[in-house]
Amino acid sequence: MIIHARYRVLMDACALIVLLSAFEVALSAKSGLSNKAKLSIGVLLDVRSVQLRPLLETKMGETKEGSSLLFQPHISTVDITDSFAVSNAMCDLITKDVVAIIGVTNASSLSTIQSYSNTFNMPFVSIGSTQNFTTTPGFQLFVRPSFMGAVVDLLHHYGCRKAVYIYDSDEGLMRIQDLFQSLNTRDLLIDLDVRRINSLPVAKDGMGAPAGVDHMTKGDTSQKVFYIMDLEQLDVLGVIRYLKKEHVLSGIDLNIIAVALDLVPVSSSNTDLSATNISGFQLVSDGSADHVIGLHDSVFTDVMKSTEALLVDAVDVVRTAVEEVEKVSPGWLMERSKQLDNQVKCTNFVVDKTTHGQILMEHLRQVQFEGQTGRVTFDENGKRNNFALEIFESTSGEANKRVGKWHPEHGLRMSSSWHIEKTVILLINNTRPVHFVQKSE
């Protein structure tokens, strides 16, 4: 009797568990999401950015409070400069029925990615280079902001009239085009000499001058010299040391503008930085008050790097948009799954696509939140807007000091900076020098 009673209790408990599980499944089906369901997200990483993978997997595994949405990443790592490899990776990710793709782009891969993204209505959220312009909105979203307007405004603030722009990548060439577009919108007179460098010699006498700077000569002692450095492969401090040794007269201050979203690491113990002024930008806030620019505030050293912060924000952009779509159109994810029962194909000239990508893309462009890189919003073409950059300066290797802020709509606001009277700015290209002059009215 006792055994039968225990058996009956056990059966009743099992029945209750089954009923509760059925009820939970019914609720999940109504919302289009399951507590254990994972949403497939494609990820395209460059072989040179594999260090981002642990951060990406951690961020993908997070769940927001009150949300049952969990991302399942499908990661493809390729040489982003190889268009054929990028094409195969995009095709492979699309056939995995991913909702969107997050990834790295550069000048050589952007057109290939855009082609696949637009053809298959596949939203692509980029943390890499931003296209210069577009005629119609595509299926790309660029989390990394374009900030050449900040460089132009800083040049104007310093009273620059001549410049040499040193760059070492195709992305740098794209940013130079952005620089010209920004100059066209401002009433400035600037003579630009654009050059590209590929490497620096250990010793000039043994290896010769690096390509791009072999024709540079000692600066004019009557003018301050500015070098705008847009370097991804070469070390900014290494280039500074070379210029001070080979191309800058002793006793003349070397003035640098670093085109990057992270600050140049400096140290007062480095005697090579004596008589060197470095201006730079920072996208990731160090936690200080947003609207207060303290006189020469020091920057914190434990700030997340911009690429890592952009990746975190890219994941949140997709998560926010998917949750908003599901809120506005309950069952959207379930309906999408039904329409994709037959695997999407992108080979043999077969193109399968649904309207779900278009719906998600519309919500992606409307995303708004406070992220690791500040306020995250986009314009109608998928470009970042309404962001802010902090301006920092360092003199003779001293700690970077906050001296201003820049906003794409409100422009540059400076609290103080080292005094500039006359300026020559150096910019570098493996083709002939480019000169641009815009007369003021």
Side-chain angles (χ1 to χ4, degrees):
M1 293 294 293
I2 295 177
I3 294 177
H4 285 296
R6 289 180 177 176
Y7 179 74
R8 178 174 296 177
V9 171
L10 180 61
M11 291 294 292
D12 290 343
C14 291
L16 180 60
I17 292 174
V18 171
L19 287 174
L20 290 175
S21 298
F23 181 68
E24 182 180 357
V25 170
L27 288 178
S28 298
K30 184 177 180 180
S31 65
L33 295 173
S34 170
N35 286 336
K36 297 182 179 181
K38 295 182 178 180
L39 192 62
S40 294
I41 302 294
V43 180
L44 183 65
L45 291 181
D46 183 39
V47 291
R48 289 164 287 272
S49 60
V50 292
Q51 72 279 3
L52 296 175
R53 183 162 184 155
L55 173 64
L56 173 71
E57 292 175 339
T58 299
K59 183 63 181 178
M60 288 279 193
E62 293 179 357
T63 56
K64 291 175 61 177
E65 184 177 353
S67 172
S68 57
L69 183 61
L70 184 63
F71 284 168
Q72 179 178 7
H74 295 277
I75 302 175
S76 181
T77 304
V78 299
D79 181 352
I80 206 70
T81 63
D82 185 343
S83 297
F84 183 74
V86 171
S87 178
N88 287 337
M90 286 292 293
C91 187
D92 180 63
L93 290 174
I94 290 172
T95 57
K96 288 181 168 57
D97 295 345
V98 297
V99 173
I101 299 176
I102 298 171
V104 179
T105 56
N106 68 1
S108 59
S109 67
L110 185 55
S111 59
T112 300
I113 290 172
Q114 287 176 320
S115 177
Y116 276 91
S117 176
N118 292 337
T119 299
F120 291 93
N121 289 0
M122 176 59 63
F124 189 97
V125 181
S126 169
I127 64 171
S129 56
T130 304
Q131 58 183 348
N132 291 317
F133 60 88
T134 182
T135 54
T136 57
F139 282 80
Q140 301 83 47
L141 210 65
F142 298 94
V143 182
R144 182 181 296 275
S146 175
F147 62 100
M148 294 312 292
V151 176
V152 172
D153 285 347
L154 204 55
L155 296 180
H156 178 63
H157 172 74
Y158 292 144
C160 298
R161 291 296 176 265
K162 185 176 181 180
V164 180
Y165 194 108
I166 307 175
Y167 73 102
D168 66 351
S169 68
D170 291 341
E171 284 61 54
L173 182 59
M174 291 177 65
R175 281 187 285 269
I176 291 171
Q177 296 173 20
D178 283 342
L179 181 69
F180 285 134
Q181 292 179 13
S182 296
L183 283 169
N184 279 327
T185 64
R186 290 161 171 81
D187 187 20
L188 298 177
L189 177 63
I190 298 180
D191 184 2
L192 298 182
D193 182 6
V194 181
R195 299 176 182 269
R196 178 168 184 157
I197 59 176
N198 299 314
S199 63
L200 288 176
V202 176
K204 182 179 178 182
D205 295 337
M207 300 181 61
V213 296
D214 50 339
H215 298 300
M216 293 172 59
T217 57
K218 298 282 187 176
D220 183 352
T221 57
S222 66
Q223 294 182 317
K224 287 183 178 291
V225 179
F226 264 78
Y227 293 79
I228 302 179
M229 295 190 181
D230 188 343
L231 305 175
E232 296 191 357
Q233 310 301 326
L234 299 177
D235 176 52
V236 172
L237 295 180
V239 177
I240 290 175
R241 294 186 190 101
Y242 177 82
L243 292 175
K244 289 178 71 68
K245 180 180 179 181
E246 304 293 343
H247 295 287
V248 179
L249 290 174
S250 60
I252 301 298
D253 285 354
L254 180 61
N255 303 312
I256 306 295
I257 295 180
V259 181
L261 294 175
D262 296 302
L263 297 179
V264 177
V266 294
S267 172
S268 57
S269 62
N270 192 334
T271 57
D272 293 336
L273 295 180
S274 61
T276 302
N277 303 312
I278 303 176
S279 298
F281 307 95
Q282 182 167 274
L283 177 63
V284 181
S285 175
D286 59 14
S288 59
D290 289 340
H291 303 291
V292 177
I293 306 174
L295 181 60
H296 293 307
D297 289 337
S298 296
V299 62
F300 290 88
T301 59
D302 57 352
V303 175
M304 180 182 290
K305 293 296 183 182
S306 62
T307 300
E308 298 172 348
L310 289 166
L311 181 62
V312 169
D313 283 350
V315 175
D316 284 337
V317 164
V318 176
R319 190 189 306 277
T320 302
V322 171
E323 290 179 343
E324 185 61 27
V325 173
E326 187 64 20
K327 184 186 302 182
V328 174
S329 305
W332 174 80
L333 290 174
M334 179 173 289
E335 181 63 25
R336 177 185 180 277
S337 298
K338 289 180 180 178
Q339 290 196 19
L340 292 179
D341 284 341
N342 295 322
Q343 190 179 43
V344 177
K345 302 179 183 64
C346 68
T347 57
N348 299 325
F349 303 99
V350 176
V351 176
D352 295 336
K353 56 184 177 182
T354 69
T355 60
H356 294 91
Q358 179 68 47
I359 296 172
L360 178 58
M361 195 65 215
E362 292 173 358
H363 284 271
L364 282 168
R365 295 192 193 100
Q366 298 172 13
V367 162
Q368 297 185 34
F369 64 89
E370 293 294 333
Q372 293 292 327
T373 59
R375 186 68 177 167
V376 179
T377 62
F378 303 91
D379 63 17
E380 65 277 6
N381 291 322
K383 287 186 177 182
R384 187 81 174 266
N385 61 9
N386 199 28
F387 62 94
L389 295 177
E390 294 181 334
I391 313 297
F392 287 83
E393 290 178 355
S394 171
T395 302
S396 298
E398 295 181 357
N400 286 295
K401 309 294 183 179
R402 182 185 293 104
V403 296
K405 282 196 175 185
W406 184 84
H407 188 279
E409 292 184 5
H410 307 306
L412 183 66
R413 184 163 60 96
M414 299 288 283
S415 61
S416 63
S417 64
W418 27 272
H419 182 60
I420 302 296
E421 294 179 351
K422 295 182 179 179
T423 305
V424 176
I425 304 178
L426 306 176
L427 318 179
I428 306 185
N429 183 6
N430 54 2
T431 59
R432 61 184 177 83
V434 177
H435 296 277
F436 171 85
V437 176
Q438 178 174 326
K439 295 183 179 180
S440 58
E441 298 179 356

